[in-house]
């Protein structure tokens, strides 16, 4: 391998690594706040990318009926809960926000000339019909068992993943999707050629990470999430709703996932089931961070990207094996460094 | 009401119907029932892992693949006998499961499933890419199994092999769970208590994972010789997840849940794959969506799965209600009365900036009751945790029977002859009182899980249960032996904890508020019991708030306040000590 190939691979690795870093941050966030190991994170990547591809080709967002269906389901569940509490005054708002709003959005999007819309508007529409799935899934699948063990939440998580992959095939078909680059072309930098899309990905990933950091440091909601992550019971006693915290971090996770998909769709063909492996690589990053540290998770994710890129050069058939085997030394190190094991029966 | 429908008859009917399947059913049905047997074997492992151990694995399909590929490769390329390849497959499975377990099982419970995801994906890609294993095309021409000269080439003939294996696995698993080893496994979720009873929880988790992996491996071996062809597809992570759905839907609380789950999922899948595309007019993996949805609904509504619901329609087998007499277990030599068995020297325990115990000192002698008293938050339970190794001290030394123990784990300390109860009762609520007490006698048995699976442990088991029932009788719980521990009032549950501690035949007994929640007469009976134990030479250290109880029973009293040693002496000295009165009643300025 000469130097220019090495640089090209590094560029590739950092690009993918930036995406994995975004996903790993979302995974750490969701786990810290809700104790859910969010296996379906990758499905949001695929849904985001493929919705964008569909809209870009002038089709309606394929997931819109799912958003409406889940919205109605959430409206029903919330209404029943409100009725039990006797809070009938809240009913109109519940129905409007969860069920009517998505239906209005579907009606609106039918009349839009999707194909000729500006690119950023297409992105916004794609996100509008994927991101709501995050809080909807939290409300329907996770909130009813929010106090259960990590194990049970993990099994629910895998079940949701299964459903989303099955639905993904129905919505998007078996063919992959690809979208045009944000900006075509690139430039030569020394011995290597840099695509503009690469800059977009790395730049936006860095901006998003900075934005998340600001959100957690400065905003009241960010602080509420951090408080919940540190001590759920304590946060609840301070008036922070665990349900709200859960919904909020699922929204963030869905947003990060879908946007990551939109970012990489111009450089990789995405299939309905590609998301899983992408999400899992974010996981490897998150595990390197012990499912707790954001900077370590991001650094781990970049490492995963680089490792993947170089191993695809040397042993492309085994690149997945090499990437996933990376967690073994990491887990071994964490296991040996750890002295006390958590007792799950003490809550 | 006459009992037409008893558990035994239900089982007999099921076995009869099953044995007729290959004779009368259509070939397609036979194949389906064969697959159900194979799936149920894997799901059975997951029931053990998930329902008993509180762990789970998404990588069971990879272990199935390991068993299948081991035999496919070795029989076709190296001409080995299928029986030999079965052993090779199991040896490799043992190695892999021990390695994965060693890496992940010390971490929190969710690292094993995450590790098995990585394992499941990696093995799938290795199967698909190794030329020697035929790549994605797989390996064909696997020979049929030869049993005593009888070639089992057809699905009908193989049917009996599959189901006999499964039934043997179920019976041995049930045997194992109903033994000393099984009781330890059933308590794994309550790690602090289990370790304090001298049980190596890491080892038992490892064993459960290994057994689950072996069941999967055997299922893979059977699959390869049934199908006579293997390729990587059935061993993917997705199939690993399907196995988990079978276990969860069927129910992880009972071994038959695995069979029920495998049956339900297999038939439902067949049916859905026919029905849904017609209904929706499109192709897709709709059955995935349905299984995902069903799993979520089941976990929301009934965490123990569907099997217990089914069982409501069948009258339950009455459990055994007698304990067979057996030889008493050998006892430890107790030290001579008056000898110091426990010395706590300058023990300090810090939690971050909080000093919970500050240079505490105390001694306990054989044949005495030492009481540790003090206001709430004085650090008494913290000191108990330091002494018993549950949460070791930051500084200072603790000696027990002339051995320094402050760096030992609670498990090692338990082996030396110290036993304890907990302030917040830690019993397995679903096990009987007898079984809970028998946990304490764990260290007095030797038989391992293989011996208990094959019922080679019965003599020892009788002695352990006899000891447990004897200790429970002594504590006045003789009439509750077969009640679920969770059904007793809290005060009696504390007494079960004492009986459990006594089952370990301790030299030193640590009791954390044993009289809390007891009625007057029960307290008196408890005081009599403790006095009797003292007379036998046992050393007892007790934390208690009931002053009448303490002052009437204790030989010496140590008072703690704010983590420090405040006073020490005979009960009557303590009762008149002005410092103690101030600590309990506050200053006189009010």
């Amino acid at each position: 391998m000469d130097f220019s190939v090495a640089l090209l691979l590094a560029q590739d690795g950092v690009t993918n690594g930036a995406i994995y870093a975004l996903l790993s941050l979302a995974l750490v966030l969701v786990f810290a706040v809700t104790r859910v190991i969010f296996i379906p994170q990758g499905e949001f990547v695929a849904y985001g990318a493929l919705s964008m591809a569909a809209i870009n080709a002038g089709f309606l967002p394929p997931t819109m009926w799912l958003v409406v269906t889940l919205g109605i389901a959430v409206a029903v569940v919330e209404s029943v809960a409100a009725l039990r509490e006797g809070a009938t005054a809240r009913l109109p708002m519940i129905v409007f926000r969860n069920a009517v709003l998505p239906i209005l959005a579907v009606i609106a999007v039918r009349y839009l000339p999707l194909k000729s819309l500006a690119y950023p508007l297409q992105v916004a529409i794609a996100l509008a019909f994927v991101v709501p799935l995050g809080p909807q899934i939290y409300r329907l699948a996770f909130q009813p068992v929010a106090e259960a063990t990590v194990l049970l939440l993990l099994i629910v998580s895998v079940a949701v993943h299964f459903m989303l992959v099955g639905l993904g095939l129905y919505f998007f078909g078996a063919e992959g999707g690809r979208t045009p680059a944000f900006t075509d072309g690139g430039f030569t930098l020394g011995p290597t050629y840099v695509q503009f899309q690469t800059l977009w990905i790395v730049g936006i990933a860095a901006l998003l990470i900075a934005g998340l950091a600001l959100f957690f440091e400065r905003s009241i909601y960010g602080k509420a999430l951090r408080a919940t992550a540190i001590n759920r019971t304590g946060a609840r006693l301070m008036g922070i709703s665990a349900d709200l915290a859960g919904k909020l971090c699922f929204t963030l996770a869905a947003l990060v996932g879908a946007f990551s998909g939109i970012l990489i769709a111009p450089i990789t063909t995405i299939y309905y089931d590609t998301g899983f492996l992408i999400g899992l690589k974010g996981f490897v990053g998150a595990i390197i961070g012990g499912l707790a540290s954001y900077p370590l998770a991001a650094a781990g994710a970049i490492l995963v990207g680089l490792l993947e890129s170089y191993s695809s050069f040397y042993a492309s058939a085994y690149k997945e094996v090499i990437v996933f085997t990376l967690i073994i030394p990491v887990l071994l190190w964490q296991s040996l460094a750890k002295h006390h094991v958590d007792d799950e029966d003490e809550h | 009401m006459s009992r037409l429908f008893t558990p035994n008859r239900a089982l007999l009917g099921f076995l009869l119907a099953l044995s007729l399947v290959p004779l009368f059913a259509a070939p397609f049905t036979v194949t389906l029932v064969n697959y159900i047997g194979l799936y149920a074997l894997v799901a059975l492992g997951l029931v053990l892992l998930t329902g008993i151990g509180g762990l789970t694995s998404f990588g069971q399909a990879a272990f199935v693949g390991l068993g299948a590929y081991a035999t496919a490769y070795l029989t076709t390329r190296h001409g080995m006998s299928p029986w030999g390849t079965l052993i090779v497959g199991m040896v490799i499975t043992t190695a892999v499961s021990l390695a994965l377990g060693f890496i992940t099982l010390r971490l929190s419970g969710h690292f094993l499933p995450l590790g098995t995801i990585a394992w499941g994906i990696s093995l799938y890609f290795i199967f698909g890419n190794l030329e020697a294993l035929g790549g994605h095309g797989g390996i064909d021409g696997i020979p049929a199994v030869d049993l005593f000269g009888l070639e089992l080439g057809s699905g009908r003939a193989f049917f009996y092999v599959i189901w006999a294996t499964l039934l043997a696995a179920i019976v041995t698993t049930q045997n194992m769970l109903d033994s000393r080893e099984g009781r330890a496994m059933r308590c794994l979720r309550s790690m602090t208590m289990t370790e304090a009873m001298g049980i190596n929880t890491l080892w038992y988790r490892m064993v459960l994972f290994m057994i689950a992996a072996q069941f999967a491996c055997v299922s893979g071996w059977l699959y390869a010789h049934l199908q006579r062809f293997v390729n990587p597809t059935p061993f993917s992570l997705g199939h690993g997840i399907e196995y988990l759905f079978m276990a969860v839907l069927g129910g992880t609380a009972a071994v038959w849940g695995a069979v029920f789950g495998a049956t339900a999922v297999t038939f439902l899948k067949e049916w859905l794959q026919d029905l849904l595309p017609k209904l929706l007019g499109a192709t897709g993996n709709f059955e995935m969506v349905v299984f995902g949805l069903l799993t979520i609904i089941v976990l929301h509504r009934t965490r123990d799965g569907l099997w217990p619901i089914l069982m409501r329609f069948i009258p339950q087998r009455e459990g055994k209600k007698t304990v067979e007499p057996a030889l008493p277990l050998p006892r430890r030599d107790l030290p001579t009365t008056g000898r110091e068995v426990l010395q706590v020297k300058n023990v300090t325990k810090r939690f971050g900036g909080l000093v919970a115990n500050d240079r505490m000192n105390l001694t306990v002698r054989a044949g005495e009751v030492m009481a540790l008293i003090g206001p709430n938050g004085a650090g008494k339970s913290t000191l108990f945790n330091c002494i018993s190794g549950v949460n070791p001290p930051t500084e200072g030394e603790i000696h027990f029977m002339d051995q320094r123990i402050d760096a030992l784990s609670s498990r090692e300390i338990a082996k030396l002859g110290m036993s304890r109860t907990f302030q917040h009762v830690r019993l397995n609520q679903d096990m009987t009182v007898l079984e809970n007490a028998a946990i304490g006698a764990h260290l007095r048995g030797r038989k391992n899980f293989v011996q208990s699976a094959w019922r080679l442990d019965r003599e020892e088991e009788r002695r352990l249960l006899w000891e447990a029932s004897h200790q429970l009788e002594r504590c006045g719980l003789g009439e509750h032996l077969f009640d679920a521990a969770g059904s007793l009032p809290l005060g009696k549950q504390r007494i079960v904890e004492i009986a459990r501690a006594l089952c370990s035949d301790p030299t030193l007994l640590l009791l954390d508020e044993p009289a809390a929640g007891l009625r007057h007469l029960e307290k008196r009976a408890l005081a009599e019991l403790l006095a009797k134990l003292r007379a036998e030479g046992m050393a007892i250290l007790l934390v208690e708030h009931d002053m009448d109880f303490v002052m009437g029973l204790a030989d010496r009293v140590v008072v703690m306040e704010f983590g420090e040693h405040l006073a020490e002496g005979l009960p009557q000295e303590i009762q008149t000590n002005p410092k103690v009165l101030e600590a309990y009643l506050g200053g006189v300025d009010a």
Side-chain angles (χ1 to χ4, degrees), chain B residues 524-590:
Chain B
R524 208 160 68 189
L526 176 64
E528 277 165 21
L529 173 70
L530 296 183
K532 205 164 138 210
L533 292 171
R534 164 172 63 189
E536 286 171 16
M538 198 176 286
I540 297 170
L541 175 61
L542 106 140
V543 163
E544 188 47 68
H545 281 299
D546 183 327
M547 284 308 134
D548 286 340
F549 184 81
V550 167
M551 296 306 169
L553 179 69
D555 299 294
R556 290 187 300 145
V557 180
V558 169
V559 189
M560 278 182 91
E561 194 195 15
F562 302 123
E564 291 180 40
H565 186 282
L566 185 72
E568 182 170 347
L570 301 173
Q572 50 274 34
E573 292 167 10
I574 293 298
Q575 278 168 307
T576 52
N577 185 320
K579 278 201 287 185
V580 176
L581 292 177
E582 192 180 316
Y584 267 89
L585 304 172
V588 278
D589 51 279

Side-chain angles (χ1 to χ4, degrees), chain B residues 286-301:
Chain B
F286 299 113
E287 73 278 1
M288 284 176 87
V289 182
V290 175
F291 285 136
L293 189 62
L294 279 179
T295 305
I296 295 174
I297 293 171
V298 164
L299 287 175
H300 281 193
R301 301 279 158 185

Side-chain angles (χ1 to χ4, degrees), chain A residues 157-225:
Chain A
S157 186
V158 167
V160 171
H161 152 71
F162 233 58
M163 292 182 72
L164 288 181
V165 173
L167 288 169
L169 178 60
Y170 177 65
F171 290 140
F172 305 111
E175 288 93 56
R178 213 166 169 146
T179 56
F182 289 18
T183 314
D184 281 320
F187 59 92
T188 312
L189 180 75
T192 182
Y193 180 77
V194 179
Q195 288 183 10
F196 286 126
Q197 185 68 24
T198 304
L199 291 185
W200 274 113
I201 292 177
V202 177
I204 291 180
L207 271 179
L208 269 177
I209 291 172
L212 282 176
L214 267 181
F215 172 76
F216 287 124
E217 287 298 323
R218 303 275 175 218
S219 79
I220 186 78
Y221 284 110
K223 286 178 183 169
L225 284 188

Side-chain angles (χ1 to χ4, degrees), chain B residues 166-444:
Chain B
L166 175 63
L167 292 173
I170 289 175
V171 170
T172 49
T173 301
Q174 275 176 331
N175 287 347
M176 181 183 77
L177 290 177
D178 175 33
S179 76
R180 162 180 173 270
E181 296 280 274
R183 283 189 292 273
M185 290 169 180
R186 281 146 74 194
C187 288
L188 282 180
R189 287 181 213 214
S190 183
M191 196 144 41
T192 307
M193 178 281 284
T194 315
E195 286 275 329
M197 293 301 132
I199 294 167
N200 185 342
T201 53
L202 180 63
W203 166 248
Y204 282 102
R205 269 191 262 239
M206 208 83 119
V207 167
L208 283 177
F209 182 51
M210 206 167 62
I211 296 174
Q214 297 298 4
F215 284 170
C217 167
V218 172
S219 167
W221 180 86
L222 290 166
Y223 170 86
H225 291 286
L226 171 71
Q227 210 52 357
R228 317 281 283 279
F229 161 77
V230 293
N231 74 351
T233 317
F235 313 127
S236 69
L237 185 64
H239 285 84
I241 295 173
E242 260 179 47
Y243 286 123
L244 184 64
F245 287 169
M246 290 177 192
V248 170
L249 286 175
T252 53
V255 289
W256 284 98
V259 182
F260 181 63
T263 312
V265 167
T266 309
F267 277 112
L268 198 61
K269 193 170 169 180
E270 266 320 302
W271 184 62
L272 289 175
Q273 276 173 344
D274 270 354
L275 178 81
L276 286 179
K278 280 184 211 149
L279 213 64
L280 295 164
T283 51
N285 285 335
F286 299 113
E287 73 278 1
M288 284 176 87
V289 182
V290 175
F291 285 136
L293 189 62
L294 279 179
T295 305
I296 295 174
I297 293 171
V298 164
L299 287 175
H300 281 193
R301 301 279 158 185
T302 156
R303 290 184 192 174
D304 285 338
L306 300 173
W307 178 252
I309 298 176
L310 199 70
M311 276 301 95
R312 279 185 215 152
F313 300 103
I314 297 178
Q316 284 310 290
R317 198 188 301 259
E318 297 272 309
K320 263 193 302 188
K321 291 287 183 202
T322 52
V323 183
E324 289 173 56
L327 283 175
L329 291 165
R331 294 200 58 183
R332 209 188 290 277
D333 291 329
L334 286 180
T336 46
T337 296
R339 189 187 141 190
E340 282 192 0
V341 291
L342 180 76
Q343 292 140 338
V344 175
K345 296 176 185 167
N346 288 318
V347 161
T348 298
K349 177 71 188 177
R350 289 192 198 93
F351 295 104
L354 178 86
V355 185
N357 285 163
D358 193 4
R359 283 164 287 137
M360 268 304 293
N361 286 288
L362 66 81
T363 57
V364 184
R365 301 191 194 106
E368 78 166 351
V369 174
M370 170 65 125
L372 181 59
I373 65 169
N376 281 327
K380 304 180 297 289
S381 290
T382 304
L383 187 62
F384 256 45
N385 285 343
C386 288
I387 296 171
S388 59
V390 165
N391 208 340
T394 321
E395 283 163 29
E397 289 183 18
I398 302 175
H399 294 261
F400 175 59
M401 297 297 288
D402 302 326
Q403 194 171 344
R404 189 164 167 184
I405 59 163
D406 47 81
L408 297 185
S409 68
S410 61
R411 191 170 79 230
E412 290 158 319
I413 293 173
K415 282 185 188 145
L416 297 175
M418 188 191 297
S419 201
R420 65 167 295 176
T421 66
F422 292 90
Q423 188 186 358
H424 301 286
V425 172
R426 289 170 192 240
L427 297 174
N428 182 326
Q429 307 279 319
D430 302 323
M431 293 195 333
T432 63
V433 168
L434 181 69
E435 288 174 310
N436 267 294
I439 287 282
H442 185 86
L443 286 176
R444 300 169 79 182

Side-chain angles (χ1 to χ4, degrees), chain A residues 287-299:
Chain A
I287 289 175
I288 292 176
L291 282 176
S293 156
Y294 293 94
L296 267 181

Side-chain angles (χ1 to χ4, degrees), chain A residues 13-60:
Chain A
V14 170
T15 316
N16 286 331
I19 297 293
Y20 301 152
L22 274 178
L23 298 177
S24 69
L25 294 185
L27 290 166
V28 173
L29 169 70
V30 169
F31 182 71
V33 175
T34 63
R35 300 177 303 125
V36 172
I37 295 179
F38 197 44
I39 307 281
Q41 177 75 61
E43 272 65 68
F44 283 95
V45 178
Y47 275 36
L50 292 168
S51 292
M52 183 62 202
I55 293 165
N56 194 257
F59 296 107
L60 287 169

